[in-house]
Amino acid sequence: MLINTGSRTDIPAFFSKWFLNRIEEGSVCTKNPYNDDIYRYSLDSKIIDCLCFCTKNPKPLLDNIEQLDKYSQFWFVTITPYGRDIEVNVPSFKKVIKSFKELSSYLGEGKVSWRYDPIFISDKYDLDFHVEMFARMASELEGYTKDCTISFIDLYQKVLRNFPEVCEVTRDEMLFIGEEFSKIAAEYDLQMKTCVEGTLLDKFGFDSSGCMTQKVLERAIGNNLKIPKGKYTIRECNCLFGRDIGAYNTCLHGCKYCYANSTEIIYYFSLTTNNNIILPQ
């Protein structure tokens, strides 16, 4: 059993109190985003192989991380160099790096991975900017993680509606980023990975097999996983499916490139009670 908290919203950043209430109660309900089906998952640490987090701000949950000590964990922390014009409510990358280091020091570097995505190119955030900032961040994170995953912006209709000025990253731009990032990564002992980007950058030493594969999670939890026969991996890569307990249209970061929110108008939810609240759709 893999519990995923980060594909639909950012639970550590905005709903940590709700999540810890669910941990205390021992179960969580979540709604299928495509119909009205509601699922209840046990949060018994004896049957959960790994809690998987993906966040732009681990600090709120980090402050109470000891309450999760009974669980095996794997964290993706996204650190990008964009400003408030793009990531409205995301803390500065300096603050997120500080939290990343604290999290890695507590859990171990094999349990915390860095994401630098999505990458887009503009007059302000050009190729040279990305190379300079990636090098700066990589030097700060040396010794606190073993790898970094990148991806390029996907132009979903939701993204185009909220970020109409964005352009698709060209093949030549991808190759430039791949080559330059790989040089920097080698200097700081980072394994570079791509997330659903095909094998274009493999020639630069990138691993395109997946960012949350059986191998990655086994390394994080220090144990072997016995995957049942069947379709338990994502179609485009070898990442394992987890049971996502988040909900779309609830993340308050307000990123212009977000695929999980339909509009720039973000709801504000109070999740301060002990009730088994289903994150609103």
Side-chain angles (χ1 to χ4, degrees), residues 6-261:
S7 296
R8 301 173 187 167
T9 193
D10 194 329
I11 287 178
F14 300 112
F15 307 112
S16 60
K17 184 174 291 187
W18 171 85
F19 180 69
L20 292 174
N21 286 338
R22 295 294 84 239
I23 292 292
E24 184 178 351
E25 292 295 322
S27 67
V28 61
C29 288
T30 186
K31 184 179 178 182
N32 187 314
Y34 305 107
N35 56 45
D36 293 328
D37 292 344
I38 294 176
Y39 306 100
R40 179 185 295 274
Y41 300 124
S42 171
L43 294 178
D44 186 344
S45 61
K46 295 179 181 179
I47 67 170
I48 293 177
D49 293 287
C50 189
L51 290 177
C52 303
F53 297 95
C54 191
T55 180
K56 291 178 178 290
N57 180 18
K59 180 61 175 175
L61 194 50
L62 178 60
D63 289 340
N64 296 283
I65 192 69
E66 70 282 350
Q67 296 185 40
L68 302 180
D69 283 351
K70 60 185 177 180
Y71 298 95
S72 295
Q73 301 171 54
F74 177 72
W75 287 71
F76 267 127
V77 180
T78 300
I79 313 176
T80 45
Y82 305 121
R84 297 282 185 174
D85 57 324
I86 303 298
E87 299 176 336
V88 180
N89 294 317
V90 178
S92 71
F93 71 87
K94 294 180 181 179
K95 290 183 178 179
V96 183
I97 286 176
K98 181 180 179 181
S99 296
F100 188 107
K101 290 180 176 180
E102 292 177 11
L103 185 64
S104 176
S105 296
Y106 188 85
L107 295 175
E109 64 174 353
K111 299 178 184 293
V112 186
S113 290
W114 173 27
R115 295 189 73 95
Y116 185 103
D117 72 330
I119 297 173
F120 68 87
I121 309 299
S122 69
D123 290 340
K124 180 177 180 180
Y125 304 109
D126 60 14
L127 291 170
D128 290 338
F129 173 86
H130 280 290
V131 172
E132 178 184 349
M133 293 306 299
F134 181 78
R136 180 176 175 182
M137 292 178 180
S139 67
E140 287 281 337
L141 294 172
E142 184 179 14
Y144 290 94
T145 187
K146 296 180 180 295
D147 51 60
C148 176
T149 299
I150 69 168
S151 69
F152 301 97
I153 193 165
D154 291 312
L155 301 185
Y156 299 110
Q157 287 301 312
K158 294 179 182 180
V159 175
L160 291 173
R161 185 163 53 246
N162 297 330
F163 196 6
E165 66 271 28
V166 72
C167 297
E168 187 174 11
V169 181
T170 68
R171 187 176 187 275
D172 286 344
E173 290 169 337
M174 292 181 184
L175 289 170
F176 180 87
I177 289 287
E179 184 172 10
E180 294 302 314
F181 278 26
S182 67
K183 295 175 184 177
I184 297 167
E187 182 177 353
Y188 297 109
D189 195 25
L190 285 172
Q191 169 63 58
M192 293 302 301
K193 299 183 177 184
T194 54
C195 180
V196 195
E197 294 293 347
T199 59
L200 179 66
L201 303 185
D202 283 12
K203 62 182 179 180
F204 301 122
F206 279 69
D207 178 359
S208 60
S209 63
C211 53
M212 201 177 292
T213 63
Q214 181 174 349
K215 181 179 179 180
V216 169
L217 294 181
E218 286 179 343
R219 184 188 72 185
I221 68 176
N223 199 2
N224 294 328
L225 295 172
K226 295 181 179 179
I227 309 301
K229 294 182 179 180
K231 297 180 179 180
Y232 285 89
T233 58
I234 297 174
R235 182 177 58 185
E236 295 86 354
C237 59
N238 294 322
C239 291
L240 298 177
F241 279 117
R243 304 302 181 183
D244 200 314
I245 62 173
Y248 291 121
N249 299 315
T250 61
C251 184
L252 306 180
H253 285 309
C255 301
K256 296 185 72 173
Y257 52 72
C258 182
Y259 67 86
N261 287 329

